[in-house]
Amino acid sequence: MLTIRNITVRLGGRTILGHASASVPPGARVGLIGRNGAGKSTLMKALIGEIEPDEGEIEKPRRARLGYIAQEAPHGSATPLETVLAADVERTSLMAEAETCEDPDRLGDLYERLIAIDAYTAPARASRILLGLGFDEDMQERPLDSFSGGWKMRVALGALLFSRPDVLLLDEPSNHLDLEATLWLESFLKSYPATLIVISHERDLLNNVVDHILHLQGGQLTLYPGTYDSFERQRAERAAQLAAAKAAQDAQRAKLEDYVRRNSARASTAKQAQSRAKMLEKMQPIAALMEDPSLSFDFPQPTELKPPLITLDMATVGYGDTPILRRLNLRIDPDDRIALLGRNGNGKTTLARLLAAQLAPMEGEIFATGRMKVGYFTQYQVEELSGDDTPLQHMTRLMEGKTPSAVRAQLGRFGFAGDKATTLVAKLSGGERARLALALITYEAPHILILDEPTNHLDVDAREALVQALNDYSGAVILISHDRHMVELTADRLVLVDGGTARNFDGSMEDYIDFVLGRNQPAGDSKPKSGKKDRKAAARDREEARKAKALVTEAEKDMARLQAECAGLDAALIDPAKAEGKLAGMSVQELSMRRADVASLLEEAETRWLEAGEQLEMLN
């Protein structure tokens, strides 16, 4: 059991955690939640020993390995696959020793341990993890320094998952992932066999993966059984009880104050009045639930424009002379709510930039209504905000010529009222900076909002407030987000960006999730469906399915043969006296070399089996 006992952590003179306590049961999957700035990451650092509590203690299971992603992304000339494999320190050490060991007894011990830890299937396991995180085979063999910071952090996540620690600690793991990789991660974590503590603002992940919620609020920890939805119900009940208790206390306080006021001057009742006055002094006030300004999103409503706002006609867009998307045919009307789907790197942001007029078409046409205003949000805008300026200074520069009251009114829509408007941006949280960026891009009441991952710095409650604000907004919305809860509640039209183009996906988010997980296929564009396949196409599919089935059968036979050979080699390596047949005359060195060759052949056969099986499933 992982036990947090009465810990206090102070940073910069401020108490982040104050006498906080909680006990995490063995094997529990815990979602650590709390408002931005509540101290979730601080608690994580205390758990791994990076921060020493000022008071209290943290008890960890004996000999338990804790796994946590380092702040610094991996770099260098090593490949993602090599980096992930190196995360299993014991395997790496044993493999290196086995290559140079000449002592037969020690070599036997080494191979016995390598077999026990499943070392020979490690490359296949590592490759599958990287594939799930979006790295195809070519990407897995490229040097780390050829990737962006976000992709490097994916490698770090893959290395952590591969190392299989006894207590897995994840701090917002989906921040660098697209929707497809997030779905894979969720599936992986569902079957993780050890204790998991994850900081996440993804409602779906918290509902589908965790079985406990650890809520951090006001420096205190409270452990709730169940999923996030269960926690919300319990929190709502608690809030209702708190409101009722406060109302009852306020009524009692008013009654006591009235009695003291009316009876203090009378000699006959002065003693009773004094007694009630003491009761008032001792009465601990019940704090009301404060309305949180960080939940404030209020998009100004645009003027009406006739449809369509934007039309793409066989447009091609890219960078320099390199096209990224071709043959784009898309119409956007004032009431459209569109979510762009597809893996990172497929061109979602490129399409968003074309719609925002930041890129011009290389071929084809784009038609846009002349009076249309666009609000385009990206993470770069959040990162590029000047930390030395205040929200008021940022907005005043942008709204040059407008009255101070108009400037403050726009800031107030997004929770920057009073002193918050004059706080340096450097002192704002990530969520507050995201709200400021949204305030800045919407000051002209745009007719279309293009939002590229707007939720990365927002906690669960703030995301819910953003969903409500988008649903109240009367303009068009183009959304790129890995938060499928937000997509489901705000988008009524899905566009799949894949294969160098974009097309309508005729289905729900559930259909798309099935498609990503291999249980369905994209519904294609909006052309009518006849319900019958073309005969030639159907014949081709049957022939392809026959070939795929033959490949599956062949691969299964190879796997059975190679697995039997591996078992014989393993037995011979552990006890050479039991070697049979041609293995009896082989040295330990020869046996180990043959074992490595067979393991490689088995990995290839497994890959062929998986690929042929996937192809057969799709064709069927």
Side-chain angles (χ1 to χ4, degrees):
M1 181 173 292
L2 181 65
T3 303
I4 302 163
R5 184 174 288 112
N6 206 32
I7 69 167
T8 295
V9 176
R10 300 181 184 91
L11 296 176
R14 186 167 71 95
T15 300
I16 308 298
L17 300 167
H19 303 290
S21 298
S23 294
V24 176
R29 292 181 173 83
V30 179
L32 175 55
I33 68 168
R35 302 309 311 276
N36 287 336
K40 301 184 296 297
S41 296
T42 300
L43 177 58
M44 278 281 196
K45 291 174 183 177
L47 291 174
I48 64 170
E50 187 175 319
I51 292 176
E52 188 72 25
D54 296 284
E55 299 174 30
E57 60 181 355
I58 297 174
E59 293 182 5
K60 305 166 189 174
R62 288 184 179 180
R63 294 186 293 276
R65 292 182 303 115
L66 272 67
Y68 182 71
I69 295 181
Q71 293 271 338
E72 186 177 348
H75 59 88
S77 58
T79 67
L81 185 60
E82 291 168 344
T83 304
V84 171
L85 285 170
D88 189 336
V89 178
E90 183 185 9
R91 175 187 177 276
T92 302
S93 175
L94 292 175
M95 295 286 282
E97 185 180 352
E99 288 181 5
T100 57
C101 181
E102 297 180 357
D103 180 355
D105 293 334
R106 173 58 181 161
L107 201 58
D109 292 339
L110 290 173
Y111 281 109
E112 185 174 1
R113 181 58 184 162
L114 284 168
I115 293 164
I117 65 174
D118 213 13
Y120 296 103
T121 62
R125 287 188 283 111
S127 181
R128 281 195 293 272
I129 288 173
L130 285 169
L131 189 63
L133 293 174
F135 293 84
D136 59 28
E137 290 184 6
D138 290 338
M139 293 173 72
Q140 292 181 26
E141 299 299 332
R142 282 168 44 190
L144 284 172
D145 284 346
S146 67
F147 293 100
S148 67
W151 283 97
K152 288 178 181 177
M153 290 308 296
R154 289 194 189 201
V155 176
L157 175 59
L160 176 60
L161 298 178
F162 178 75
S163 68
R164 293 184 290 192
D166 302 306
V167 180
L168 177 60
L169 304 172
L170 297 174
D171 191 346
E172 298 193 44
S174 59
N175 262 8
H176 300 285
L177 305 182
D178 51 27
L179 173 59
E180 292 72 13
T182 300
L183 290 170
W184 176 87
L185 176 64
E186 183 180 298
S187 177
F188 183 94
L189 295 179
K190 279 182 183 178
S191 58
Y192 192 73
T195 302
L196 166 69
I197 300 178
V198 55
I199 297 174
S200 178
H201 300 309
E202 303 283 341
R203 180 184 289 262
D204 289 286
L205 186 148
L206 293 171
N207 277 328
N208 296 333
V209 172
V210 310
D211 50 30
H212 287 77
I213 293 292
L214 185 58
H215 186 213
L216 176 55
Q217 183 178 36
Q220 296 292 306
L221 291 167
T222 307
L223 187 66
Y224 295 83
T227 65
Y228 183 81
D229 282 351
S230 172
F231 157 76
E232 268 208 332
R233 285 193 295 272
Q234 294 176 69
R235 184 172 63 165
E237 291 168 3
R238 184 178 174 188
Q241 292 167 357
L242 187 65
K246 185 179 186 305
Q249 188 189 68
D250 288 346
Q252 184 185 10
R253 181 182 293 277
K255 188 175 180 180
L256 289 170
E257 288 173 344
D258 180 63
Y259 184 93
V260 171
R261 185 173 55 253
R262 286 187 296 104
N263 295 280
S264 293
R266 292 182 187 177
S268 60
T269 57
K271 190 173 181 180
Q272 292 89 333
Q274 289 174 1
S275 175
R276 282 162 175 74
K278 288 179 181 179
M279 289 173 61
L280 277 169
E281 290 173 4
K282 291 179 180 179
M283 189 180 290
Q284 293 296 320
I286 297 174
L289 292 177
M290 300 296 291
E291 184 176 333
D292 193 335
S294 68
L295 301 182
S296 182
F297 295 91
D298 181 15
F299 298 111
Q301 301 301 323
T303 57
E304 288 189 19
L305 289 179
K306 292 182 179 180
L309 295 179
I310 301 176
T311 304
L312 298 179
D313 183 12
M314 297 299 289
T316 295
V317 64
Y319 304 91
D321 297 327
T322 306
I324 303 296
L325 300 172
R326 301 174 184 270
R327 304 175 66 83
L328 295 172
N329 292 296
L330 188 65
R331 169 178 166 146
I332 299 173
D333 289 334
D335 58 351
D336 269 332
R337 301 302 173 96
I338 300 172
L340 302 184
L341 306 177
R343 281 195 175 275
N344 282 357
N346 281 5
K348 299 190 299 292
T349 296
T350 301
L351 177 55
R353 293 189 64 191
L354 174 65
L355 296 174
Q358 291 192 359
L359 291 175
M362 301 166 69
E363 297 176 9
E365 300 287 344
I366 179 170
F367 303 97
T369 301
R371 292 179 295 143
M372 182 185 67
K373 298 172 185 174
V374 176
Y376 181 35
F377 173 92
T378 72
Q379 287 302 313
Y380 298 110
Q381 292 164 325
V382 178
E383 295 162 5
E384 291 171 359
L385 289 169
S386 171
D388 296 329
D389 290 337
T390 66
L392 185 59
Q393 289 171 319
H394 276 285
M395 190 64 72
T396 300
R397 278 197 301 270
L398 202 60
M399 296 178 66
E400 186 178 359
K402 299 293 184 181
T403 64
S405 60
V407 173
R408 283 194 174 267
Q410 174 62 8
L411 286 170
R413 288 176 176 273
F414 293 84
F416 294 98
D419 293 341
K420 210 64 177 177
T422 55
T423 302
L424 290 179
V425 168
K427 294 184 178 181
L428 299 179
S429 69
E432 288 170 332
R433 288 195 291 269
R435 278 192 288 116
L436 176 57
L438 287 167
L440 294 172
I441 68 162
T442 59
Y443 80 99
E444 287 188 304
H447 300 89
I448 178 171
L449 279 177
I450 303 175
L451 307 178
D452 193 342
E453 295 293 359
T455 64
N456 274 0
H457 297 289
L458 302 181
D459 57 43
V460 185
D461 291 334
R463 293 182 184 205
E464 205 65 34
L466 179 57
V467 166
Q468 293 176 19
L470 287 174
N471 288 335
D472 290 338
Y473 171 67
S474 61
V477 175
I478 308 292
L479 177 65
I480 301 172
S481 178
H482 63 265
D483 186 334
R484 58 188 181 278
H485 177 74
M486 170 166 282
V487 172
E488 287 172 338
L489 293 183
T490 59
D492 51 25
R493 182 176 161 200
L494 306 178
V495 171
L496 178 60
V497 182
D498 187 35
T501 191
R503 63 183 184 276
N504 286 332
F505 185 91
D506 292 336
S508 66
M509 274 302 295
E510 287 185 5
D511 296 326
Y512 182 69
I513 291 169
D514 286 342
F515 162 56
V516 169
L517 297 178
R519 300 193 294 254
N520 197 0
Q521 293 193 49
D525 56 25
S526 56
K527 294 178 181 178
K529 301 176 185 65
S530 65
K532 295 183 179 179
K533 283 188 177 181
D534 177 79
R535 289 183 179 181
K536 290 184 179 180
R540 276 198 307 272
D541 283 356
R542 286 194 298 273
E543 179 61 14
E544 290 295 324
R546 185 189 64 77
K547 291 179 180 178
K549 189 173 182 180
L551 289 173
V552 168
T553 302
E554 180 183 358
E556 286 175 342
K557 289 179 180 178
D558 289 343
M559 287 165 61
R561 175 176 55 80
L562 292 166
Q563 285 169 348
E565 188 172 353
C566 275
L569 286 163
D570 292 342
L573 280 166
I574 294 171
D575 188 356
K578 294 183 179 179
E580 297 178 354
K582 61 182 179 181
L583 300 182
M586 297 174 68
S587 67
V588 173
Q589 205 79 11
E590 290 171 330
L591 287 169
S592 63
M593 290 176 63
R594 177 57 186 165
R595 179 61 173 79
D597 291 339
V598 173
S600 178
L601 292 171
L602 179 58
E603 183 181 330
E604 291 176 6
E606 288 174 342
T607 301
R608 285 190 281 115
W609 178 75
L610 285 169
E611 291 175 348
E614 288 176 0
Q615 184 183 5
L616 182 61
E617 184 177 351
M618 290 181 67
L619 289 167
N620 287 336

